[in-house]
Amino acid sequence: MNKNRQGTLTQAQATQTHRANMQKNLQRRLEAARANGDEALIRLLEAEASYIG
């Protein structure tokens, strides 16, 4: 199992951290697509957001 500065992560903690990181990354990508006016990418990222919840 991977270790962090506080010690060993449980599977549930790792899953929660992974999900939070995916959502933050998706939000960053969506903001960039909106800033660039890329409507096709915005639709794809919104669909991805719906999929991952």
Side-chain angles (χ1 to χ4, degrees), residues 5-50:
R5 290 182 189 161
Q6 286 87 24
T8 303
L9 288 176
T10 66
Q11 183 65 38
Q13 289 169 324
T15 299
Q16 183 179 12
T17 299
H18 178 65
R19 181 178 211 87
N21 287 338
M22 285 189 347
Q23 289 172 334
K24 287 178 192 175
N25 187 11
L26 178 60
Q27 186 61 37
R28 180 186 54 79
R29 292 164 53 212
L30 192 50
E31 288 171 6
R34 287 183 176 138
N36 290 326
D38 190 338
E39 294 298 326
L41 183 55
I42 291 168
R43 284 192 302 276
L44 285 172
L45 293 172
E46 287 174 343
E48 184 178 334
S50 294

